[in-house]
Amino acid sequence: MTSGDFAGKPERAHGRFAACSDPGEKFKLGLDWVDQLLAGGKFLEASEAVGLIKSLASGALEQAQAYQRAGRSFLRLYDYDKASYYLNEALNQLGDHPDSMELSRVYHDMAWMQYRQGYLEKARAHAENAELALGGIPARDKGLQPAKAECHHLFSLIESAAGEYDRAVIRLEKEIAIRQGGDDDQRLAAAYNKLSSVLQTKGEVTRALDHLQRSMELAERTGNIFRKSISLKNLGELQFIMGDLALAWKCHTESLSISVQAGNHLGFVFNHAGLGRIYRARGSAVSAMAEYNQALDAARRIRFHDRESSILADMADLLCDQGLWREAQERLDQARLLDNERGQDPSPWYLLVAARAAAGKGRPEGLREAVRVLDGLLTGPIIIDDEEFITVPELRMTALRLRGRVEEMMGRRDQAGSYYARAREQAEEFCREFTPAQKGTFKKRREIEEIVSAAAHGS
């Protein structure tokens, strides 16, 4: 499918809808029009189109179909109150349809909404219901395989957020196998993109780049600007990891521009945070904090609590750079309150920054607290949501570097040296499959230079 083919599909669907005079057929054509808008990332237009077709719905099933599309439109616009209202209305209409495609769609969207707000157990329960609803659908139904693929993708989101990366990869590989046999390049692009993100989190950066390239090619071919903005954001994160700040900047700014055009509010959050990290790496603290504040405002507008907590930790880390320990702790306290309100444990990124802030003033009690937190991180599995900017190996090497620094502050230079050496080994292993050019930029990153220098000098 070319970009032009995709761009014209919603318009052609609207033309068929507008020309039809039969109410029953008009509703079906209107539903197809809405689906085309949703597939193209035109969520505001989709919500408006649903408003035009709702009155044409005849019977509970058609009403549920209209409510579900309305719910999905508002879900993608991050208006969770409206999304919840319409999805629950759809659910109420489907009481006599326990095994239906529509019921699966409703539970899918409910799960996605809970996942996006950080409520993983609720998300998992709805996702299981979405799969169960497909149980009674005949295998010959042409919509069954795509619906199964949607469930695989949904579970990949939840598994990855819970740190079950291998399970997430299995789900995504199953989804891709189904998508490759179909004609929905939009969703195939999303699957490759998510697989790239999970691999990135595991530290498999080279494989992540390969899958992201496939996603970007599909997004370009289909003309889906929403998907393109996400792929560019992810490429910006990967380039930042490898130390190419110029290319990371280009990707984030282009993604941000497209996000404005596409109404991708998630893009505002991720790209402003990404630009903040680049400014910080370049030593511009004021500009970095300005970007973080824009990211924080955007996260709060759409109640994206996971990212709100993460950005507050980013801010705290930046304040630690400047020795502003009290201000850093204030941001960490705000992040912890958010996590407590949702019943979530603090993220590894939060814990790392908290340890840094605790050790900052060099007080004995603070150093002991840093030791406790860092040892907890380093002795257990590190679980990072794949939407975090940092990978598991990077967090581990940074924690080892900080652990060594704490030992040094406590006057134990020999012990410090062993932690520094382990951090350098982790860094060398991380970039083992990079090209020579990629290794060069990676090793120029401030954090990596610090690790290498500390290991070389034992301090």
Side-chain angles (χ1 to χ4, degrees):
M1 183 188 297
T2 67
S3 175
D5 289 337
F6 175 76
K9 289 188 74 173
E11 286 74 13
R12 290 194 293 271
H14 175 255
R16 291 190 292 269
F17 167 76
C20 182
S21 58
D22 178 77
E25 184 64 20
K26 195 176 182 72
F27 175 80
K28 295 177 182 177
L29 292 171
L31 209 61
D32 179 61
W33 173 35
V34 173
D35 286 343
Q36 295 299 335
L37 290 168
L38 288 169
K42 298 183 177 181
F43 305 122
L44 180 59
E45 293 93 330
S47 69
E48 294 170 347
V50 173
L52 296 177
I53 71 169
K54 276 194 300 184
S55 62
L56 300 173
S58 175
L61 181 58
E62 288 191 354
Q63 288 176 8
Q65 290 174 322
Y67 284 133
Q68 185 269 329
R69 267 63 168 192
R72 180 167 292 188
S73 300
F74 286 113
L75 178 59
R76 296 298 185 176
L77 290 167
Y78 313 104
D79 189 335
Y80 296 131
D81 290 335
K82 288 183 180 178
S84 180
Y85 168 78
Y86 283 113
L87 292 173
N88 277 294
E89 285 296 310
L91 195 62
N92 290 337
Q93 297 295 325
L94 291 168
D96 295 330
H97 301 271
D99 297 312
S100 72
M101 198 72 69
E102 212 57 50
L103 185 61
S104 179
R105 290 192 182 105
V106 172
Y107 277 126
H108 170 281
D109 291 348
M110 286 180 161
W112 197 92
M113 181 168 62
Q114 296 296 337
Y115 154 77
R116 184 50 70 195
Q117 295 179 91
Y119 302 111
L120 297 185
E121 290 309 311
K122 290 180 180 179
R124 190 181 296 278
H126 288 313
E128 289 170 352
N129 286 333
E131 278 196 326
L132 285 172
L134 299 176
I137 297 175
R140 64 180 179 274
D141 190 310
K142 67 178 182 179
L144 181 59
Q145 289 305 310
K148 286 184 175 180
E150 286 291 322
C151 286
H152 287 315
H153 191 89
L154 178 62
F155 271 103
S156 78
L157 301 177
I158 298 167
E159 298 292 8
S160 182
E164 297 289 349
Y165 307 123
D166 291 339
R167 290 183 184 178
V169 168
I170 289 170
R171 285 282 190 171
L172 288 164
E173 288 173 342
K174 288 180 179 180
E175 179 192 4
I176 288 169
I178 294 173
R179 301 289 188 197
Q180 287 175 330
D183 60 357
D184 191 347
D185 284 351
Q186 309 286 335
R187 299 305 302 162
L188 181 57
Y192 277 125
N193 194 76
K194 188 64 181 179
L195 182 54
S196 173
S197 292
V198 176
L199 293 171
Q200 173 184 322
T201 299
K202 293 179 68 179
E204 299 179 28
V205 173
T206 303
R207 287 183 66 199
L209 275 170
D210 288 342
H211 289 298
L212 182 58
Q213 186 61 43
R214 295 179 188 178
S215 177
M216 294 184 73
E217 289 169 358
L218 288 165
E220 189 68 37
R221 191 165 78 208
T222 58
N224 189 322
I225 60 173
F226 184 86
R227 182 58 50 199
K228 184 177 179 180
S229 72
I230 295 173
S231 295
L232 278 168
K233 181 274 295 182
N234 287 351
L235 182 58
E237 290 184 351
L238 280 168
Q239 295 301 333
F240 179 85
I241 288 168
M242 292 185 292
D244 192 337
L245 299 184
L247 187 51
W249 174 269
K250 182 177 183 295
C251 291
H252 277 300
T253 52
E254 186 175 349
S255 176
L256 183 59
S257 177
I258 297 173
S259 293
V260 173
Q261 181 184 354
N264 177 15
H265 296 278
L266 281 179
F268 303 164
V269 179
F270 286 114
N271 286 307
H272 280 301
L275 291 170
R277 286 188 286 273
I278 294 169
Y279 274 124
R280 180 187 172 218
R282 289 174 171 171
S284 181
V286 173
S287 296
M289 188 60 78
E291 293 291 342
Y292 285 150
N293 275 312
Q294 291 195 67
L296 187 65
D297 288 344
R300 285 172 172 167
R301 281 197 301 273
I302 61 174
R303 287 185 284 174
F304 193 2
H305 300 310
D306 277 354
R307 290 311 96 209
E308 183 181 352
S309 178
S310 179
I311 293 162
L312 286 165
D314 288 343
M315 290 176 160
D317 199 39
L318 177 62
L319 291 164
C320 286
D321 286 351
Q322 304 165 76
L324 300 173
W325 312 113
R326 182 179 60 80
E327 292 86 345
Q329 190 59 54
E330 287 174 356
R331 300 300 195 286
L332 290 168
D333 290 344
Q334 292 172 34
R336 189 59 180 267
L337 181 61
L338 277 173
D339 293 336
N340 289 343
E341 288 174 349
R342 294 179 297 125
Q344 300 290 322
D345 292 329
S347 71
W349 173 234
Y350 169 95
L351 292 172
L352 180 62
V353 179
R356 187 183 181 199
K361 292 183 179 180
R363 295 173 179 170
E365 64 274 16
L367 294 173
R368 288 193 295 270
E369 174 64 12
V371 166
R372 185 190 68 79
V373 172
L374 291 169
D375 284 353
L377 268 178
L378 292 169
T379 57
I382 295 177
I383 298 173
I384 297 177
D385 187 330
D386 71 90
E387 290 187 334
E388 286 282 11
F389 76 97
I390 196 168
T391 67
V392 171
E394 285 177 289
L395 193 135
R396 184 173 285 112
M397 69 179 77
T398 305
L400 286 166
R401 165 72 174 91
L402 180 57
R403 186 67 176 83
R405 178 59 182 154
V406 171
E407 287 293 319
E408 190 176 356
M409 293 170 74
M410 297 173 76
R412 300 196 287 252
R413 294 178 64 86
D414 289 343
Q415 292 91 326
S418 67
Y419 284 108
Y420 293 149
R422 288 169 59 191
R424 181 174 62 183
E425 290 171 4
Q426 186 82 58
E428 291 290 347
E429 176 62 23
F430 183 75
C431 68
R432 183 170 55 86
E433 295 185 358
F434 287 9
T435 66
Q438 290 168 343
K439 285 183 180 179
T441 55
F442 174 73
K443 290 184 176 181
K444 288 180 180 177
R445 285 180 55 182
R446 184 193 67 177
E447 298 90 347
I448 308 306
E449 286 184 335
E450 289 176 354
I451 286 170
V452 172
S453 176
H457 298 95
S459 63

